[in-house]
Amino acid sequence: MIQKTIKNFTQNPKNDILSGLTVALALVPEAVAFAFVAGVDPLIGLYGAFMMGIVTALFGGRPGMISGATGATAIVMVHLIQKGNEVGNALATPIDNLGLQWLFITLLIMGGIQILAGVFRLGKFVRLIPHPVMMGFVNGLAIVIFLSQLGFFKEKSEGVPTWMTGTDLFVMLALVILTMGIMFGLPKLTKKIPAALTAIVVVACVTIFGNIDASTVGSFIRDGGGAGLQGGLPTFQGQIFGVFDTLQGHWGLVISTAVILAAVGLIESLMTLNLVDEMTETRGSGNRECVAQGGANIINGLFGGMGGCAMIGQSIINVNSGGRGRLSGTVAAIALLCFVLFGAPLIEQIPIAALVGVMFMVVIGTFAWSSFRILNKIPLSDAIVLVAVSAITVWQDLAIAVIAGVIMSALVFAWKNAIRIRARKRIKDDGTKVYEIWGPLFFGSTTAFNAKFDVKNDPEKIEIDFMESKVTDHSGVEALRNLANKYVAHGKQIKFTHLSKDCKALLIKRNPEFDTIIEDNIDDPRYYVVTDIMDSEV
């Protein structure tokens, strides 16, 4: 047990530490940018990234996975914060930043929901996500990361963001290309040092010692209205417990926002966990990750962070840089806090172009280029799901895309299985007509199942054999009950054979007289009907 704990914490301290530092540098502009999206101070985003990172690194379900403030959650927060500020300004005694206080309260509820998801073991449902949805999600995410970096190619002119032109654009492109070149070429020479960290350091030295005028982390923060990275330790936000009265009539907004944030956070985190599992050929715990994400968001609410979830881009940077243990995420979080406490002047000199170059390489590594090759080799329905999920991820957000993809895949699956049900017919020597059912009987196939029988013209004795079939849900059970009642109403004898025990129990529970028409067989199937537990609770 101790050996396994140590192995999870770090297998290669050098790689974990260096990759953690790389991730910390990449986290800075992301956390700041998402704070601006949400409409809060950059330090709130940095505190959120630190607290999310440290808690999930130590207690999460996936060593090496990075969490922090994310764009998916920031977008959901915007309306809540704006509404809270409006209410605060309209009070007889105005309250500054009331929207931020509402956000912290929302994070407490969000965290509680995520912890409950882990306690009730809902993390396992990530296994129900089909492969086309995963590929579409990865491709859509790569496009979203790429598009988000384009915002760094803008500069403010009289307060209005405009695209770079002339020398500024050429310098930006040159530094981005230099960063990408180092990240592409260095691993071919040596893999002992992380290429991303080396590229950031080299490009930073080129701009600092070459006295090149380029956009930096510091200038980016100031252009967004922030004062800088320098700050103290996160402090306990006890004042949030004094603003509950301002939520009168607004609890619906807070709770609905918390539910959406919890769902978005869990979907993105579990999808990231699944992706990192595939990259590292290991397996993490989805339920443990749910609990850790929830705990981290509660701490964010109590200590003034903006909350968040797993970050796919940073997780990929970490894994590709050699970060496999919990030490890498821990180093990233602590380094981020140290930047805020002690290293702000130095970190603010890092050119944005270096970080953009790193993210562009993440985009190239994340995009499933093989999807172009296989699009015409997979079923049309899977190809449509893959493209649709990619498009919805870019158009809306990750959570909506994944949910839509799963629903589309489920409907396709249900339709294909609905039309597969068959009934082979034969007559026994004693005149009994036997229907041998093949294929699953569930809500989608009940109509086709009912169409197989000719109740009016069938002989006096009917036998329906389910050796090659499976009744999977309550709709299937009801179809059997209704069919039996039709034959009985016509004065005919019907017998079911090779039904599972739970299916028999449900039929007899609804109609005790069915006990005489269900034949027990030694080779009866032992599968379970999905509504057995629900029916027993009613």
Side-chain angles (χ1 to χ4, degrees):
M1 181 67 179
I2 295 176
Q3 185 177 4
K4 183 179 179 181
T5 302
I6 294 174
K7 185 178 179 181
N8 279 338
F9 190 73
T10 183
Q11 297 180 47
N12 189 321
K14 178 181 75 70
N15 283 353
D16 280 345
I17 291 172
L18 292 176
S19 62
L21 290 173
T22 306
V23 170
L25 292 171
L27 276 171
V28 173
E30 296 285 309
V32 172
F34 296 144
F36 287 145
V37 169
V40 299
D41 187 275
L43 281 176
I44 303 297
L46 292 167
Y47 288 150
F50 160 67
M51 287 183 278
M52 288 297 304
I54 193 71
V55 173
T56 56
L58 293 174
F59 306 108
R62 171 71 264 174
M65 194 165 82
I66 305 298
S67 295
T70 63
T73 55
I75 292 171
V76 179
M77 299 171 183
V78 174
H79 178 62
L80 173 77
I81 295 172
Q82 290 176 344
K83 185 64 178 177
N85 288 336
E86 289 175 7
V87 172
N89 293 331
L91 293 174
T93 305
I95 301 177
D96 292 333
N97 293 321
L98 181 61
L100 187 60
Q101 312 306 316
W102 282 15
L103 173 62
F104 296 153
I105 294 172
T106 303
L107 292 178
L108 300 181
I109 302 172
M110 170 191 178
I113 294 171
Q114 292 180 322
I115 289 174
L116 289 175
V119 170
F120 289 107
R121 308 183 69 80
L122 301 183
K124 61 187 176 184
F125 287 106
V126 72
R127 301 174 198 165
L128 298 178
I129 298 174
H131 189 67
V133 177
M134 273 293 295
M135 287 192 83
F137 146 76
V138 168
N139 289 349
L141 183 73
I143 296 171
V144 169
I145 294 174
F146 173 78
L147 294 176
S148 69
Q149 301 308 302
L150 297 182
F152 294 114
F153 285 85
K154 293 181 179 181
E155 53 189 0
K156 285 196 173 182
S157 176
E158 297 181 357
V160 179
T162 56
W163 291 102
M164 290 180 178
T165 57
T167 304
D168 290 344
L169 178 60
F170 291 129
V171 169
M172 181 76 171
L173 289 174
L175 294 177
V176 168
I177 292 171
L178 175 60
T179 303
M180 295 176 69
I182 294 172
M183 289 187 66
F184 176 77
L186 186 60
K188 299 182 183 301
L189 300 176
T190 179
K191 294 185 178 180
K192 292 184 178 181
I193 54 176
L197 180 60
T198 303
I200 292 171
V201 171
V202 169
V203 174
C205 290
V206 168
T207 56
I208 293 171
F209 296 112
N211 199 26
I212 297 174
D213 184 18
S215 176
T216 63
V217 171
S219 64
F220 173 72
I221 293 174
R222 287 186 289 275
D223 288 345
L229 283 179
Q230 192 73 45
L233 289 169
T235 57
F236 181 68
Q237 303 294 309
Q239 72 276 9
I240 63 175
F241 300 106
V243 298
F244 279 99
D245 57 325
T246 64
L247 287 168
Q248 188 85 21
H250 302 289
W251 277 107
L253 174 63
V254 169
I255 294 173
S256 62
T257 303
V259 171
I260 295 171
L261 283 171
V264 170
L266 288 182
I267 290 173
E268 185 156 356
S269 297
L270 293 175
M271 292 287 281
T272 304
L273 184 144
N274 212 21
L275 182 62
V276 176
D277 280 355
E278 290 186 6
M279 293 178 64
T280 59
E281 297 182 351
T282 57
R283 186 169 178 176
S285 170
N287 295 315
R288 181 171 177 177
E289 186 63 31
C290 291
V291 174
Q293 292 282 336
N297 279 306
I298 288 176
I299 292 175
N300 265 282
L302 293 174
F303 289 90
M306 68 177 284
C309 60
M311 305 184 75
I312 297 182
Q314 277 67 23
S315 296
I316 293 174
I317 291 175
N318 189 45
V319 172
N320 288 341
S321 299
R324 293 290 191 276
R326 297 186 183 278
L327 178 61
S328 59
T330 304
V331 168
I334 293 175
L336 188 62
L337 180 63
C338 288
F339 295 161
V340 174
L341 296 177
F342 314 112
L346 184 62
I347 299 303
E348 287 179 3
Q349 295 184 60
I350 293 177
I352 287 291
L355 302 174
V356 171
V358 171
M359 295 308 294
F360 278 170
M361 291 301 290
V362 169
V363 168
I364 294 172
T366 301
F367 196 91
W369 300 101
S370 61
S371 57
F372 292 120
R373 189 177 65 252
I374 66 172
L375 266 181
N376 61 343
K377 299 177 182 178
I378 60 177
L380 178 61
S381 58
D382 287 344
I384 291 173
V385 169
L386 192 159
V387 173
V389 171
S390 300
I392 296 172
T393 300
V394 177
W395 174 45
Q396 291 291 326
D397 62 53
L398 171 63
I400 293 175
V402 172
I403 292 171
V406 171
I407 291 174
M408 291 169 65
S409 297
L411 290 174
V412 170
F413 175 81
W415 172 252
K416 287 182 177 179
N417 281 276
I419 61 177
R420 283 178 182 168
I421 195 162
R422 298 287 187 272
R424 293 185 288 265
K425 307 174 185 70
R426 62 185 175 88
I427 304 294
K428 286 186 175 181
D429 294 338
D430 63 356
T432 301
K433 186 174 183 179
V434 179
Y435 288 88
E436 294 177 345
I437 307 301
W438 180 90
L441 179 57
F442 68 112
F443 69 90
S445 61
T446 54
T447 301
F449 171 77
N450 289 328
K452 307 296 180 187
F453 302 93
D454 187 359
V455 177
K456 192 175 293 185
N457 299 316
D458 275 345
E460 296 300 313
K461 292 183 179 180
I462 303 297
E463 180 181 320
I464 304 178
D465 187 349
F466 286 89
M467 174 59 82
E468 301 295 332
S469 182
K470 182 173 169 181
V471 184
T472 60
D473 66 359
H474 182 66
S475 296
V477 174
E478 282 296 302
L480 294 185
R481 191 176 71 85
N482 292 333
L483 181 65
N485 287 333
K486 286 180 182 178
Y487 275 109
V488 171
H490 280 76
K492 299 178 180 181
Q493 297 179 24
I494 182 172
K495 182 170 288 187
F496 294 128
T497 61
H498 297 109
L499 284 175
S500 66
K501 289 183 178 180
D502 64 305
C503 188
K504 296 175 192 174
L506 288 172
L507 281 169
I508 294 171
K509 183 177 180 180
R510 293 290 303 274
N511 296 79
E513 66 274 13
F514 279 16
D515 189 28
T516 59
I517 68 172
I518 300 175
E519 183 178 303
D520 289 321
N521 304 84
I522 296 175
D523 52 355
D524 282 344
R526 296 184 180 181
Y527 61 80
Y528 296 95
V529 176
V530 73
T531 54
D532 187 17
I533 296 175
M534 290 192 292
D535 277 21
S536 65
E537 291 175 347
V538 175

